Amino acid sequence: MATIGLLAASPAWALDNQAQYQACMTLLNRDPAGALDSAVEWERQGGGDAARHCKALALIRTGEVEDGALELERVAEAMPQVKAPLAAELFAQAGQAWVKAGNPQRALYAQNQGLKLNPQDVQLLLDRALTYGTSGMYFEALDDLNVAAELSPDDPDIYAMRAAAYRQLETPDLAEENIDHALKISPSHPGALLERGYLRRDQGDAAGARADWLTVIQVMPGTDIANEAQKNIEKLDLR
């Protein structure tokens, strides 16, 4: 199934400490270890949740992924109900970190907690669908994707992911229907093209599959999805 970007900083964190928070985020992108040191010191000086959020992201960027995920969960769990959408976003980031750490069960816990706080968070629904999909729980993934499609009907990612789930469930007609929908919205959508390549390969259309996967590589060079497309082309060549 499709992949989702990891751990973008939340603009909602620009609170009273906006300047210091933004400085920490800028340092995070340039020097994660330096950002970690800065965030720890800032927290000691009373930086509160904003400092802890920067610290958690810095832990993840420096390879302490599980510690960062736990910190994100702790900050989210301590937030008052009035900040439920922000807490849900932190649970989403924790879930992405647990996926990165290879722990889908903890990812599901974090994503479930986030969706309890904000059931209409489309990104969280996509995250949980991805976790379900990578765990082989395709019907559960489809449940989340169907809700996401109702909330955001013009998002091609949803239909590409739904196509992947239907392909895994050996329902190619529904997979093709969702691919067509995604490509109608975004004609060069890499996830949809990747999935159409799989369908074409399975239908014996090696040339069509190759064309789709080459387009993925051209549209998204150097990415995980491009690498997947390249591997698929290499397998075609071995046939």
Side-chain angles (χ1 to χ4, degrees):
M1 297 181 68
T3 58
I4 296 196
L6 181 67
L7 302 172
S10 167
W13 280 97
L15 305 174
D16 295 336
N17 298 314
Q18 179 177 5
Q20 195 159 0
Y21 179 75
Q22 292 302 327
C24 197
M25 289 295 105
T26 299
L27 184 59
L28 177 68
N29 291 325
R30 188 177 70 249
D31 178 12
L36 178 57
D37 291 340
S38 176
V40 168
E41 181 59 30
W42 181 23
E43 183 184 5
R44 288 187 187 135
Q45 296 173 1
D49 288 344
R52 293 178 67 192
H53 182 241
C54 186
K55 180 178 74 174
L57 297 186
L59 284 167
I60 293 165
R61 294 282 184 89
T62 56
E64 302 295 329
V65 180
E66 294 184 1
D67 288 342
L70 287 169
E71 182 70 357
L72 287 167
E73 289 180 355
R74 285 191 289 262
V75 176
E77 288 164 354
M79 281 188 163
Q81 183 61 35
V82 70
K83 294 184 178 181
L86 183 54
E89 186 172 345
L90 292 189
F91 277 122
Q93 292 180 341
Q96 291 174 359
W98 285 120
V99 168
K100 184 177 181 181
N103 192 333
Q105 289 306 311
R106 281 305 299 258
L108 283 175
Y109 165 78
Q111 290 156 359
N112 288 340
Q113 295 302 109
L115 285 165
K116 286 178 185 177
L117 295 171
N118 191 3
Q120 296 189 332
D121 187 319
V122 172
Q123 187 60 63
L124 253 174
L125 286 164
L126 295 185
D127 284 358
R128 190 169 69 176
L130 182 63
T131 305
Y132 280 141
T134 56
S135 301
M137 303 169 68
Y138 301 114
F139 287 110
E140 290 83 354
L142 284 170
D143 287 340
D144 279 350
L145 293 169
N146 291 340
V147 174
E150 292 178 3
L151 294 169
S152 186
D154 296 326
D155 185 346
D157 287 346
I158 297 170
Y159 303 102
M161 292 175 69
R162 204 156 64 174
Y166 280 125
R167 175 173 59 84
Q168 294 290 348
L169 291 169
E170 299 182 354
T171 315
D173 290 348
L174 290 174
E176 185 172 5
E177 179 181 313
N178 278 273
I179 290 166
D180 290 345
H181 198 137
L183 292 175
K184 183 177 180 181
I185 298 169
S186 176
S188 297
H189 189 273
L193 290 170
L194 184 75
E195 286 301 318
R196 191 170 70 178
Y198 283 125
L199 288 188
R200 286 176 165 178
R201 179 201 62 190
D202 294 343
Q203 294 164 355
D205 181 5
R210 181 188 298 275
D212 280 339
W213 291 333
L214 285 172
T215 303
V216 171
I217 295 168
Q218 292 166 0
V219 171
M220 298 287 288
T223 62
D224 288 343
I225 194 169
N227 292 338
E228 185 174 349
Q230 181 61 45
K231 290 177 183 177
N232 291 334
I233 291 173
E234 290 170 2
K235 289 178 182 177
L236 277 181
D237 292 339
L238 293 174
R239 291 189 171 191

